Amino acid sequence: MLFASLLPDADHRHAPMGRIIPLWLFFKHRKFTHTIYAMALFSLPFFYVSIRWGMMFLLGYYTHLALDSGTISGIRWFGERKRKKRAA
């Protein structure tokens, strides 16, 4: 669970997990790795090992997302929304 709770911040260069797994090379901070889709994707290998490992990973990842959603900048659980163009 600890590993999973730190994994979403691998998209930040100065985060401890970002130094080990440099996802910041591919994603901006608090974008893809802070979504439900990333949580599901990264959990799949652990569910392949066992249901218990998958659930622990999912809970750790979810905890990180829930706590980040309470910050001022927050997160977008389902990713970026496409903006509609307004008629002039």
Side-chain angles (χ1 to χ4, degrees):
M1 280 179 62
L2 179 62
F3 172 74
S5 68
L6 295 174
L7 185 61
D9 281 338
D11 63 357
H12 191 273
R13 168 181 263 161
H14 301 293
M17 193 57 76
R19 294 177 182 176
I20 298 168
I21 304 170
L23 291 180
W24 50 268
L25 293 171
F26 307 103
F27 305 108
K28 291 184 178 181
H29 186 56
R30 289 200 178 174
K31 298 295 180 193
F32 176 72
T33 61
H34 285 74
T35 64
I36 293 287
Y37 309 119
M39 181 174 71
L41 180 69
F42 294 140
S43 296
L44 284 176
F46 294 94
F47 274 107
Y48 183 74
V49 173
S50 77
I51 297 285
R52 179 178 286 172
W53 278 69
M55 290 304 293
M56 288 190 321
F57 186 90
L58 198 67
L59 182 61
Y61 206 101
Y62 175 79
T63 302
H64 182 103
L65 296 184
L67 290 172
D68 272 359
S69 69
T71 62
I72 293 172
S73 56
I75 63 166
R76 294 185 186 256
W77 287 86
F78 295 99
E80 291 294 318
R81 295 183 193 141
K82 292 185 179 180
R83 295 184 180 162
K84 294 181 182 178
K85 292 183 180 180
R86 294 185 179 201

